[in-house]
Amino acid sequence: VPISLFGREYIVMKGQLFSDEKFFVTTLYPNTQIFVNGIFQETVINEGEVRSYDVSTNTVYVNTSEPAMVVHITGYGCEMGGAYLPTIEGCTGSYSVTFTRTPNTLDGFFMNLMVRNDTVKGSSTKNQSIKNFTITCNSNTDTIPENYFDFVLDSTWAVLKNTMEVRNYISSKITSGSEAMVSNKIARFHLGVINGGTTTGCKYGYFSDYASEKGSAGIGGAYAPKLYTLCSLDPVRLVASG
């Protein structure tokens, strides 16, 4: 996996393991500080070292002083799968993701969904990200209800709730063996799929864009040094006089 795809910020979303879940942080640079839910854990002296932490809540915010890799181990029952998590630093994520659910009708299906959210007062897109999700499957298009999301990180991100009601709804709209497309017309999101059963194994992975698209704003024309890096839903305030 290219090192350029990793960053300093991650959201870990809990799956369906019976036992405790864990995530693993691998440092890419020396003297990397690791924070979990804003609490300092340790400074890792050498690059390439690995530290593991429990996933004790439905969402865990992980940030590091230098770019690092985060691998999440989750699954169904006693069956485990693992995935490199996409960083939420920068402008990562997709507006649309297409995937196919496995055909085994006995397998459960669970979707991790995290979306960038605008919180700027007076903005036309404030808190609108969660109102713009659709699922298209078997020629049917359905919305994901906005009350199925919780806000995290001071409401700058929203995550799909980990409840039986939400799991049943998603599973009913994305049927076994079918291709599905999840879309959001105004905001980038990250989508992970956990597919499997307590005895049939687990398939786990993220299918959204790990790379970052960036826009810049500067003063003095197209060739002037850029002062800011902006993502979709980032506010831009222009003030002029004279």
Side-chain angles (χ1 to χ4, degrees):
V1 180
I3 290 178
S4 60
L5 295 183
F6 297 106
R8 299 174 179 85
E9 293 184 87
Y10 295 87
I11 296 176
V12 184
M13 297 184 65
K14 188 176 177 64
Q16 299 298 303
L17 275 183
F18 287 157
S19 57
D20 292 336
E21 296 187 11
K22 291 186 179 293
F23 63 91
F24 297 81
V25 179
T26 302
T27 59
L28 302 175
Y29 299 90
N31 299 313
T32 297
Q33 295 179 317
I34 300 174
F35 300 81
V36 176
N37 287 329
I39 300 173
F40 173 73
Q41 303 297 310
E42 60 183 302
T43 298
V44 181
I45 303 300
N46 302 307
E47 64 181 273
E49 292 193 49
V50 182
R51 298 291 188 269
S52 65
Y53 304 94
D54 292 332
V55 183
S56 55
T57 54
N58 284 336
T59 59
V60 179
Y61 172 56
V62 183
N63 67 298
T64 55
S65 60
E66 303 292 337
M69 294 186 293
V70 176
V71 175
H72 178 209
I73 303 299
T74 185
Y76 268 97
C78 302
E79 304 291 338
M80 293 187 293
Y84 284 104
L85 295 187
T87 180
I88 63 170
E89 182 185 14
C91 308
T92 60
S94 302
Y95 290 104
S96 179
V97 176
T98 301
F99 58 92
T100 300
R101 179 175 172 177
T102 57
N104 188 346
T105 57
L106 298 179
D107 280 353
F109 181 81
F110 185 68
M111 192 166 70
N112 283 343
L113 196 59
M114 61 182 84
V115 61
R116 192 180 300 275
N117 183 55
D118 182 6
T119 62
V120 177
K121 184 178 180 180
S123 171
S124 59
T125 55
K126 181 179 180 181
N127 295 337
Q128 296 299 304
S129 299
I130 61 173
K131 300 179 181 180
N132 280 275
F133 273 110
T134 60
I135 299 173
T136 301
C137 185
N138 298 321
S139 300
N140 298 315
T141 298
D142 298 280
T143 61
I144 302 178
E146 62 180 288
N147 64 332
Y148 281 7
F149 290 85
D150 283 327
F151 290 109
V152 298
L153 302 183
D154 294 328
S155 297
T156 57
W157 282 80
V159 298
L160 194 64
K161 291 179 180 179
N162 187 346
T163 67
M164 182 66 71
E165 178 186 8
V166 173
R167 292 195 297 270
N168 288 343
Y169 178 82
I170 297 297
S171 184
S172 70
K173 301 304 179 184
I174 303 175
T175 54
S176 299
S178 298
E179 180 182 278
M181 180 175 67
V182 177
S183 302
N184 190 308
K185 64 183 179 181
I186 71 166
R188 293 183 183 278
F189 63 88
H190 283 298
L191 183 147
V193 167
I194 308 171
N195 206 140
T198 57
T199 60
T200 55
C202 173
K203 301 88 179 173
Y204 174 40
Y206 272 79
F207 295 88
S208 44
D209 194 350
Y210 282 54
S212 181
E213 284 191 15
K214 298 179 180 179
S216 298
I219 298 173
Y223 298 102
K226 302 303 183 291
L227 303 182
Y228 303 101
T229 299
L230 304 167
C231 302
S232 59
L233 303 185
D234 283 349
V236 181
R237 183 183 182 192
L238 302 178
V239 180
S241 63

